[in-house]
Amino acid sequence: DAKTTQPTSMDCAEGRAANLPCNHSTISGNEYVYWYRQIHSQGPQYIIHGLKNNETNEMASLIITEDRKSSTLILPHATLRDTAVYYCIVRVGNNFNKFYFGSGTKLNVKP
Amino acid sequence: EPEVTQTPSHQVTQMGQEVILRCVPISNHLYFYWYRQILGQKVEFLVSFYNNEISEKSEIFDDQFSVERPDGSNFTLKIRSTKLEDSAMYFCASRDTEAFFGQGTRLTVV
């Protein structure tokens, strides 16, 4: 699976959009970008995933650059409950084996 | 919404004892996983399980550990001869196209 690079931490004001970047410059054509988050010590929570098109669901939007070497997770209206560690994970879509969780980005949503 | 359920939420055990951590995966999922997270550290992969056998395991998953799907609903992680360094959160996950994680069992070895 391709390596990803994320900032260690970010701050966001409550009610504003949180934009979390991820670099995956070695991604290959059959690898998907997944985002998970972990709130405190709870189990990781699935957010969204995509291959090359932008994706949106009830939680977030995923913007993938045309060359697929980077992506951005957007939380459109961050709340205090969105404070968490966010993990960007790249993996082959039909590889149902392990996820590798790196250090992620600690998002601090402030009032 | 379907969810992965783990029991117990917290287990305290004496060093050298055996523990069994239990998980009920989402019912139509076929792939099951155990991960662990030592306090303040990354989430680490332990083992994946498919079609009633281990499909991949990490170097952490040595002979001290075993997994089993004893019936159609439960998925268990057994840790024999527990050590202090086994203290961690243990997460079970199951997946279809994306993986869903349980809320974890906090294992404390004293």
Side-chain angles (χ1 to χ4, degrees), chain A residues 21-99:
Chain A
C22 180
N23 284 315
H24 31 79
S25 58
T26 61
I27 193 170
S28 49
N30 61 347
E31 289 185 309
Y32 286 70
V33 180
Y34 282 80
W35 283 85
Y36 279 76
R37 72 180 181 183
Q38 187 177 28
I39 297 173
H40 195 46
S41 294
Q42 297 179 23
Q45 179 188 21
Y46 167 78
I47 302 173
I48 200 167
H49 74 283
L51 183 62
K52 47 185 166 182
N53 297 324
N54 298 336
E55 302 288 343
T56 295
N57 63 21
E58 65 279 3
M59 287 184 69
S61 295
L62 173 61
I63 307 299
I64 303 174
T65 57
E66 195 167 336
D67 63 8
R68 303 209 321 123
K69 294 185 176 182
S70 66
S71 59
T72 301
L73 178 74
I74 301 172
L75 307 178
H77 305 287
T79 70
L80 298 178
R81 288 176 295 180
D82 292 321
T83 293
V85 178
Y86 287 77
Y87 300 99
C88 169
I89 301 168
V90 169
R91 58 178 297 112
V92 175
N94 62 356
N95 178 354
F96 287 92
N97 281 328
K98 64 185 178 186
F99 278 122

Side-chain angles (χ1 to χ4, degrees), chain A residues 34 36 38 40-46 49 58 87 91-103, chain B residues 31 33 35 37 39 42-45 48 55-56 89 91 95-104 106:
Chain A
Y34 282 80
Y36 279 76
Q38 187 177 28
H40 195 46
S41 294
Q42 297 179 23
Q45 179 188 21
Y46 167 78
H49 74 283
E58 65 279 3
Y87 300 99
R91 58 178 297 112
V92 175
N94 62 356
N95 178 354
F96 287 92
N97 281 328
K98 64 185 178 186
F99 278 122
Y100 170 72
F101 288 87
S103 300
Chain B
Y31 299 85
Y33 308 85
Y35 287 75
Q37 187 174 33
L39 185 64
K42 296 177 185 178
V43 178
E44 301 175 288
F45 168 77
S48 59
S55 52
E56 188 172 354
M89 286 290 292
F91 296 109
R95 71 174 292 170
D96 185 4
T97 53
E98 60 266 3
F100 291 89
F101 287 76
Q103 288 306 298
R106 180 175 299 282

Side-chain angles (χ1 to χ4, degrees), chain B residues 12-23:
Chain B
V12 181
T13 190
Q14 292 218 325
M15 194 167 51
Q17 296 297 303
E18 175 181 287
V19 294
I20 297 177
L21 309 184
R22 303 181 191 279
C23 170

Side-chain angles (χ1 to χ4, degrees), chain B residues 33-66:
Chain B
Y33 308 85
W34 284 101
Y35 287 75
R36 79 171 184 189
Q37 187 174 33
I38 295 170
L39 185 64
Q41 298 187 23
K42 296 177 185 178
V43 178
E44 301 175 288
F45 168 77
L46 291 178
V47 65
S48 59
F49 192 86
Y50 170 71
N51 200 25
N52 284 321
E53 60 182 26
I54 291 173
S55 52
E56 188 172 354
K57 59 183 181 179
S58 72
E59 61 275 8
I60 302 168
F61 194 89
D62 58 21
D63 292 343
Q64 187 193 2
F65 296 87
S66 62

